[in-house]
Amino acid sequence: MPEATLFVKLLYYTPEPERACATAARQSHSAVGVKELTQKMSDEQVNAFLKKIIKLNHLSVIEHASFTFGIEGVSRALTHQLVRHRLASYTQQSQRYVKANDFSYVIPPSIKNNPALEKKFVDEMNSVAKIYSEFLEAGVNAEDARFLLPNACETKIVVTMNARELLHFFKERSCVLAQWEIRGLAEEMLRQCREIAPTLFAHAGPSCVVDKVCWQGKRSCGKWKAIEGARWEGE
Ligand SMILES: Cc1cc2nc3c(=O)[nH]c(=O)nc-3n(C[C@H](O)[C@H](O)[C@H](O)COP(=O)(O)OP(=O)(O)OC[C@H]3O[C@@H](n4cnc5c(N)ncnc54)[C@H](O)[C@@H]3O)c2cc1C
């Protein structure tokens, strides 16, 4: 059973996502029709328009751009957190239809960095896989045998979010206090989004960076102190 490695790929996105959002925004202040809307906007105008919209928090406009990611090599512990984000669409590999005899798994760094614990962990995974296979051979179907599988079990998921939801997702999940695995995923998704839509995602990141507020109370990492004008909310 190989150890799983995170793989994320931005599979599809709205063509010219920044122009799509700027065009929609332009409609709200323009008497012209569809044909004229899509004409006469240079790249510079698109950028300037988008920056203004985002600054004014007129974020419904950026819902017009959508991004679809293929994600694999992540744990079920991660996807359980991911799917809490409700303004997104998900399709996940099924443990009912796909048998997991040789499942891959994610090993947390805290365990991987300790050879004795890592060995125990791997032994446990092998043991679960063996019992899982025995249950299948005994006639238990995959939808019931999966009750044996651990949170560490590798999974694959396709996720679609619009740019507004992505900004929200990055605020929550690229924060230092987000769980390490989903934070790694969020950081990679943000990197790929920036390649395609640098203006839309220019100021994406944790709340302390974007809103200049840290909501983490006593758990705060303290980074907000280094951000000009940032404040801390807590007791
Ligand atoms: C560091 C961290 C720790 C966490 N710990 C826990 C935990 O211990 N236990 C736990 O259960 N969860 C926990 N969560 C998950 C968290 O409570 C949220 O479920 C998750 O982050 C999704 O966020 P959301 O609801 O803001 O966003 P989304 O579902 O992505 O929605 C985006 C925004 O849309 C709006 N919205 C969406 N749906 C509705 C609705 N039905 N009504 C009104 N407005 C809506 C809200 O403004 C919301 O912020 C944790 C999350 C983080 C980041």
Side-chain angles (χ1 to χ4, degrees):
M1 289 187 296
E3 185 186 343
T5 319
L6 173 68
F7 179 76
V8 189
K9 187 166 166 45
L10 179 55
L11 298 173
Y12 305 102
Y13 48 89
T14 303
E16 298 191 74
E18 298 191 325
R19 187 168 289 274
C21 296
T23 302
R26 199 179 181 198
Q27 180 69 95
S28 80
H29 286 71
S30 171
V32 302
V34 177
K35 278 185 196 156
E36 294 92 334
L37 265 186
T38 51
Q39 292 164 357
K40 294 183 201 155
M41 249 206 299
S42 66
D43 289 348
E44 290 70 32
Q45 283 173 309
V46 166
N47 281 341
F49 219 16
L50 271 187
K51 279 182 190 159
K52 191 172 156 194
I53 289 158
I54 293 169
K55 198 169 173 200
L56 292 172
N57 218 22
H58 185 19
L59 296 182
S60 62
V61 163
I62 69 167
E63 292 169 17
H64 292 286
S66 116
F67 298 79
T68 298
F69 294 87
I71 298 166
E72 63 184 44
V74 294
S75 69
R76 280 254 164 184
L78 180 148
T79 55
H80 188 77
Q81 299 172 81
L82 177 63
V83 300
R84 294 292 301 277
H85 292 276
R86 292 159 287 180
L87 307 185
S89 304
Y90 304 98
T91 307
Q92 183 162 17
Q93 187 178 66
S94 167
Q95 289 183 335
R96 296 180 71 203
Y97 305 127
V98 181
K99 293 191 175 119
N101 299 64
D102 287 314
F103 69 86
S104 302
Y105 45 81
V106 174
I107 310 181
S110 60
I111 295 171
K112 203 166 171 51
N113 293 340
N114 180 324
L117 291 185
E118 185 188 15
K119 183 179 179 316
K120 272 192 182 180
F121 187 90
V122 171
D123 288 349
E124 190 61 26
M125 295 298 122
N126 288 332
S127 165
V128 170
K130 188 164 170 283
I131 298 169
Y132 175 91
S133 296
E134 284 169 14
F135 276 40
L136 289 186
E137 279 162 30
V140 176
N141 55 29
E143 78 171 14
D144 289 347
R146 69 176 162 168
F147 279 68
L148 288 160
L149 297 174
N151 270 331
C153 193
E154 190 263 351
T155 186
K156 299 172 180 39
I157 191 164
V158 174
V159 182
T160 302
M161 291 186 188
N162 66 44
R164 186 182 197 175
E165 179 63 357
L166 278 167
L167 289 184
H168 177 74
F169 175 72
F170 296 142
K171 260 188 215 177
E172 292 199 341
R173 303 300 182 174
S174 61
C175 170
V176 171
L177 292 185
Q179 185 260 344
W180 62 267
E181 192 185 13
I182 198 165
R183 189 170 73 245
L185 170 68
E187 286 167 354
E188 180 54 22
M189 286 167 67
L190 174 54
R191 192 190 66 73
Q192 294 188 29
C193 283
R194 278 198 176 125
E195 280 183 2
I196 302 302
T199 306
L200 266 179
F201 294 101
H203 301 295
S207 300
C208 60
V209 172
V210 180
D211 297 330
K212 297 198 186 296
V213 186
C214 171
W215 297 104
Q216 298 296 347
K218 284 179 190 156
R219 294 175 356 124
S220 174
C221 70
K223 277 191 176 169
W224 65 272
K225 291 177 195 159
I227 299 169
E228 199 186 336
R231 69 176 207 279
W232 171 79
E233 289 289 335
E235 292 164 9

